[in-house]
Amino acid sequence: MRRFGFFALMALAFCTEQNHIVVHTGKLDDVTHPDVGDEVEIIHVPTGEYTTQKPGFYTVHDFNDWLFLWKDPRPDAKPPPPPKEIDFSKEMLFVAVAQTEGARSIEVKKALGTNSGLQIYLTETLSGPGCPAAPNTPPAMDIVVMKSVPWDVHVHHDRVRAEECGPPPDAVAMCRVAGSGQQGAAKMAAATGQTIDCDARKSVPKTGSIVDRGWQLSAVPPGSTTKLTVGANGMGVTFALDAWGTYSLDLEVRDQARVGTTVATIDAPAPETGVPIELHWQAFDRNDDASMFPRVELHVADNAGGDCGPAKAQTWCEPKATGTVQQIVLKPEPGKTYRTYVSYQDFRLKGSPIACVRTFPKGRPSVATCDDVVRNAGVTWDVGLVDEATTTIYDPRKGKPAPYTAPPASTATATATATATTKPPPPPPPSATTKPPPPPPTATTKPPPPPPPPSASASAKPFMERSNPFAPPPPPTSPVEHKNPF
């Protein structure tokens, strides 16, 4: 019965020239087992010269069908010619073009003639985990020549993942101060106001060639608004150091199989001498237009009438501005006190970025004092007085902060550990003159009398250790930025 149906379908070849294609796509990594039928001979033809094919499955009986494979099927578009191995008078092509972006390959495995039509079994191999698709690569393609038939075509589409893509490329980022002529390094230090130049020239592909490079500032100091300027083909980037702190620059390198990553670190530490003071913004998005922030100025004034700001330096003050960040390094002179303030040239409305003044206490994380008050243009925000000993700013109404002293090496833990692990000494052996201990009391033995009550002279309460309310607070346990309580 099956044979009768199969040859009956062959007889329909003279009645129609079109194939109805039905696609059966299985689950990922499942493989379809072929049905029982008559194997149809297939011949694979080269596909390397084709680049503009459309994803899908096609039967090609003539040149008009061939035009339909390409993204621009117009006759004047001049698509590539059909394979020279085909004779359309008695043969047809079956064309499979991968439908998944980045698929490594697609291959027709077998063709069978059955009662229900032509069964074609093919496998599309996808990229393995973590293996990106190479950009500007045409979809994978397979073309087979077979005897021309008009039957329904059932495409059994299996998809499997490749196990591996080989090792990732070596991503190497070399950074230096722009214009210094240095070779560069993955870790470096520089001063704020300097421009950093990084490149990926030493990156090494492991499969084919490097096809793409991507850069990103993954971490910046508080308030930094610096932006990357990317060079041609992503080969390098430049950016300015605007705030004191650490910058992390991520590099992603893609070859024709996988992605490799690395991180370059650039430190811009605050000066160790003097009192570093920084004005920056918070409560903004790094994609915001910084030119729309309110205009403000950071100032330090002494008690002798001197003033230091963006437009005027002093012998005791070095101002600097990079982008939206303003910095002052104060070098206190004996006998002087210094006041820090911020002047507003523009209105500061509710919901606008917030101005913060950051100081760098010795031995502690930086401390930020922020002003979220609605301000009018021309007003002044008095931040506080500068304390040289702690390199902080404080509210004079609350007095100077207690000087910070690093805690000594912990001895309590070592003592407790030694106490817990040291066994008490054994009792001395009794000597001949030592009296034996009294026997335990029996039922007839009277218990010893209770101790006498305390007299009036013994009414003093026992000493209880209390914490010192005037001691400075302990240092924070994590290197995070803390708000100034003043």
Side-chain angles (χ1 to χ4, degrees), residues 175-191:
C175 298
R176 65 199 65 79
V177 175
S180 65
Q182 298 175 349
Q183 182 179 0
K187 292 184 178 181
M188 62 166 294

Side-chain angles (χ1 to χ4, degrees), residues 75-100:
D76 58 350
K78 296 182 179 180
K84 59 183 179 180
E85 296 86 353
I86 182 69
D87 181 359
F88 283 130
S89 65
K90 56 182 178 180
E91 296 173 327
M92 72 175 186
L93 299 175
F94 178 78
V95 181
V97 182
Q99 297 180 331
T100 305

Side-chain angles (χ1 to χ4, degrees), residues 437-477:
T442 62
T444 59
T445 304
K446 294 182 180 181
S455 61
S457 61
S459 60
K461 295 183 179 180
F463 172 75
M464 295 182 63
E465 184 177 358
R466 292 177 170 83
S467 60
N468 184 356
F470 304 103
T477 57

